[in-house]
Amino acid sequence: SAVISQKPSRDICQRGTSLTIQCQVDSQVTMMFWYRQQPGQSLTLIATANQGSEATYESGFVIDKFPISRPNLTFSTLTVSNMSPEDSSIYLCSVLHQVISSGEAFFGQGTRLTVV
Amino acid sequence: EDKVVQSPLSLVVHEGDTVTLNCSYEVTNFRSLLWYKQEKKAPTFLFMLTSSGIEKKSGRLSSILDKKELFSILNITATQTGDSAVYLCAARASNAGGTSYGKLTFGQGTILTVHP
């Protein structure tokens, strides 16, 4: 499995501001994903972070609100822009070793975001 | 739209009991079914199932997949208080070409509480 470091682990932010979450993996991975887990809900995929190109967003999520970068195979960032209280969630980075795994996805420790 | 449904949504048992958690799925280009345990923020990987009828086992936990009925179960025997968590089921699709891993669709989760 991969060791995934995600930070910050938690933050309390003012509405209207932006927060960037970082995800660092200890080995080169093929696929990186960003999920959101709203309070009491399950995980929803926000987007697939593509190395060197624009992320692939799921229905209901847009680049202006959730810009994503992936400059190399081990690092990605998710920004939550112009935050509102509805953005209060846990945000999770997930990785997949397409070559050496059979499809298991592993998760970072998560970022608990509270918007006030 | 891909869909994963778990039942029950919550379960309260006493230590030593055996529990069965259910997961049904409707996923286009289904590839595999994964189970995760979520205690705080980060889901931890338990099992991945790709073939029908083959039980996967790890200690007191076991899981099996029925691809005809589009169903999986997770069994936990001799439950302990440390088993208290949210158990998530997720179905993975292949991409349109069938050559790569598609997105994970998660169920709502089952909240398991084990009392001493």
Side-chain angles (χ1 to χ4, degrees):
Chain A
S1 65
V3 175
I4 307 165
S5 300
Q6 187 176 334
K7 58 181 181 182
S9 63
R10 60 176 59 228
D11 208 340
I12 301 173
C13 300
Q14 297 290 324
R15 67 178 69 199
T17 63
S18 297
L19 176 72
T20 295
I21 303 167
Q22 298 180 2
C23 180
Q24 177 76 54
V25 190
D26 68 339
S27 56
Q28 291 188 347
V29 293
T30 310
M31 303 185 81
M32 297 181 78
F33 307 90
W34 288 97
Y35 287 84
R36 179 176 75 180
Q37 187 175 30
Q38 294 177 299
Q41 304 294 314
S42 191
L43 279 71
T44 301
L45 180 64
I46 297 171
T48 302
N50 300 310
Q51 192 231 337
S53 64
E54 192 173 289
T56 306
Y57 289 84
E58 295 298 307
S59 175
F61 297 96
V62 296
I63 188 172
D64 290 345
K65 177 66 177 176
F66 297 102
I68 288 169
S69 78
R70 188 176 173 193
N72 56 53
L73 288 175
T74 63
F75 186 77
S76 178
T77 66
L78 167 74
T79 299
V80 186
S81 302
N82 188 24
M83 288 184 283
S84 67
E86 292 70 36
D87 294 320
S88 298
S89 293
I90 295 172
Y91 292 86
L92 291 151
C93 165
S94 175
V95 304
L96 175 63
H97 277 283
Q98 191 164 340
V99 174
I100 68 173
S101 82
S102 301
E104 304 95 328
F106 298 96
F107 287 84
Q109 308 94 314
T111 297
R112 188 183 299 274
L113 170 63
T114 303
V115 183
V116 297
Chain B
E1 186 179 328
D2 294 343
K3 192 173 166 185
V4 176
V5 176
Q6 291 184 245
S7 64
L9 294 182
S10 67
L11 195 51
V12 179
V13 300
H14 287 93
E15 271 192 321
D17 289 349
T18 293
V19 298
T20 297
L21 310 183
N22 305 298
C23 175
S24 64
Y25 63 91
E26 293 176 30
V27 171
T28 304
N29 296 322
F30 172 81
R31 189 179 186 119
S32 55
L33 193 291
L34 294 88
W35 284 96
Y36 290 86
K37 179 182 181 182
Q38 186 178 30
E39 292 178 89
K40 290 184 180 175
K41 289 186 292 184
T44 53
F45 174 77
L46 295 175
F47 296 112
M48 187 178 75
L49 304 150
T50 54
S51 301
S52 270
I54 298 174
E55 186 183 53
K56 292 227 174 170
K57 211 167 160 61
S58 176
R60 296 175 295 102
L61 278 66
S62 63
S63 184
I64 198 161
L65 175 67
D66 185 334
K67 290 170 76 172
K68 184 179 173 188
E69 299 296 329
L70 309 184
F71 190 82
S72 176
I73 61 171
L74 175 69
N75 280 318
I76 308 175
T77 59
T79 52
Q80 302 171 356
T81 55
D83 295 327
S84 296
V86 176
Y87 289 84
L88 296 165
C89 165
R92 182 182 293 291
S94 294
N95 70 351
T99 57
S100 182
Y101 296 101
K103 61 183 276 188
L104 275 176
T105 301
F106 280 85
Q108 325 92 299
T110 294
I111 303 171
L112 175 64
T113 304
V114 182
H115 288 309

